[in-house]
């Protein structure tokens, strides 16, 4: 499954699971949001405020779809390795964002951060194994936001830096 060869319509016609259809929608919405964000920036840079506001609106609509579809991931059972990997990736994102909802203070910070490190190591380890056994990559499927490669504690630091530089991160 990848965002170029699969769509929700194709998967539905082929009898794809509900989760695979949702994942295809997530990949498509994410790709569209990134494209609209790029187009809005280009129009703004050219001084064209009229089309840029439409691209910004389209980006927001795609992000609404993206986050709405991500909300249902915990309620759909995985039936394939890519689906399981996507759910593991989503669990990693959830544990990272869970800290934002906690009350502030040292009594919470230290135990939560220690637990987060342990859980992330477990989840990234499982995710790496599932991707290796299944011979696929969430990133190549358009689900980079679920893979969260740059936070993988098992990844080689040099590889992460190389990837971030290639993406233009400074």
């Amino acid at each position: 499954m990848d965002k170029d060869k699969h769509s929700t319509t194709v998967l539905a016609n082929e009898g794809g699971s509900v989760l695979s259809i949702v994942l295809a929608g997530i990949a498509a919405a994410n790709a569209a949001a990134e494209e609209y964000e790029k187009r809005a920036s280009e129009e703004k840079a050219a001084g064209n405020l009229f089309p840029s506001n439409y691209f910004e609106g389209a980006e927001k609509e795609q992000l609404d779809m993206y986050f709405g579809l991500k909300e249902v991931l915990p309620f759909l059972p995985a039936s394939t390795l890519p689906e399981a990997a996507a759910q593991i990736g989503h669990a990693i994102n959830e544990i990272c964002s869970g800290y934002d909802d906690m009350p502030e203070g040292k009594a919470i910070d230290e135990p939560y951060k220690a637990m987060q490190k342990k859980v992330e190591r477990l989840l990234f380890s499982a995710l790496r194994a599932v991707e290796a056994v299944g011979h696929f990559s969430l990133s190549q499927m358009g689900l980079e936001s679920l893979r969260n490669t740059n936070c993988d504690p098992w990844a080689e630091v040099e590889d992460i830096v190389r990837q971030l530089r290639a993406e233009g991160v400074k």
Side-chain angles (χ1 to χ4, degrees), residues 3 22-38 58-59 61-67 69-70 138-139 141-147:
K3 66 184 180 207
V22 168
L23 292 173
I26 288 171
N30 188 52
E34 288 175 358
E35 178 63 24
Y36 286 134
E37 177 185 31
K38 178 181 158 207
E59 175 193 2
E61 295 231 357
Q62 292 299 315
L63 287 174
D64 285 347
M65 283 189 262
Y66 171 82
F67 287 111
L69 289 169
K70 279 182 69 174
L138 287 179
S139 298
M141 294 166 50
L143 297 169
E144 174 64 31
S145 64
L146 295 179
R147 180 62 174 85

Side-chain angles (χ1 to χ4, degrees), residues 56-97:
E56 286 173 348
E59 175 193 2
K60 288 177 185 171
E61 295 231 357
Q62 292 299 315
L63 287 174
D64 285 347
M65 283 189 262
Y66 171 82
F67 287 111
L69 289 169
K70 279 182 69 174
E71 288 288 319
V72 297
L73 286 180
F75 303 102
L76 301 170
S79 58
T80 65
L81 288 176
E83 292 172 0
Q87 287 187 326
I88 292 169
H90 187 61
I92 292 167
N93 288 339
E94 286 293 312
I95 197 71
C96 288
S97 64

